[in-house]
Amino acid sequence: MVMETAAAQPRRGMPEKRRAITAAARAVFGREGYARASVDVIAVEAGVSKRTIYNHFTDKQELFQTVALEGAQQVTDAVGAILERHLRKIVDLREDLIAFALERVTAVTDFPDHFALVRTIEAEVTRIPTAVLEVWKEIGPLSSHKKLAPYLTRIAERGLLRLDDAERAANHFNLLTITDVNQRTFYGALPLSESEVRDVVVSGVDAFLRLYGTDAPAVPAPAS
């Protein structure tokens, strides 16, 4: 059974046991993948019985969705705080965008178990239940674009950017900076040096400003 909310509500049993189960599940799914991971192994790692897991979760699919969405929500909340720190008040647009992106990429190292799960999702995308994948995308990757877009809109309203589609611009910014770093490091599995990360981010921000800065040529809207 697939959940309809971002995180399953506890059913029976102590919250401490549920936390132990989700922590173990996140580690096991990240280590072994979705298809290979078993509820038996998760139970052993959590130090609970298999029956206790089923007191909290209907099946492996619900358990996987729960830990994926809980992690995605934690990252999304962290991104919101980073956006407020760097993009709520703009002093120097280029430097503020660089500072935002540099702190944003640290989410991979701040939430290593979640991004191990992200590697599982990307590696086993055809095995992940479609409903789980769609709700994870909405809570996680798509939410990051949606959170950035309003900040870019406000920056454009101050005359510092030229936008015709804020969500498309947010997607381009992420692809040129954060996503580029994440793909090169396989979401933290093969870390880059600080100087390499900075080079990627700075070149990405400069490319973004060439596209959307006030001195950039107008970008035509895509044909409908």
Side-chain angles (χ1 to χ4, degrees), residues 24-33 36-37 41-42 45 116-117 120:
R26 188 173 290 109
V28 172
F29 283 128
R31 184 176 70 238
E32 301 187 13
R36 292 181 57 191
V41 172
I42 293 169
E45 193 139 334
L117 211 62
T120 289

Side-chain angles (χ1 to χ4, degrees), residues 102-160:
L102 286 173
E103 187 172 356
R104 171 69 178 83
V105 298
T106 64
V108 171
T109 53
D110 290 342
F111 301 94
D113 288 345
H114 172 70
F115 284 99
L117 211 62
V118 172
R119 290 194 293 271
T120 289
I121 291 171
E122 292 204 347
E124 298 188 51
V125 65
T126 58
R127 296 187 180 96
I128 305 296
T130 301
V132 175
L133 188 63
E134 290 303 315
V135 72
W136 171 77
K137 283 163 48 179
E138 186 64 31
I139 296 294
L142 295 179
S143 178
S144 294
H145 300 328
K146 291 177 180 178
K147 279 186 173 290
L148 175 58
Y151 288 86
L152 297 182
T153 296
R154 289 195 288 271
I155 293 169
E157 289 170 350
R158 291 182 52 190
L160 300 176

Side-chain angles (χ1 to χ4, degrees), residues 6 31 36 57 72 89 98 110 121 130 137 145 159-161 173 181 185 203 224:
R31 184 176 70 238
R36 292 181 57 191
F57 303 96
K89 293 183 179 179
I98 290 171
D110 290 342
I121 291 171
T130 301
K137 283 163 48 179
H145 300 328
L160 300 176
L161 290 174
F173 181 86
V181 173
T185 65
S203 63
S224 58

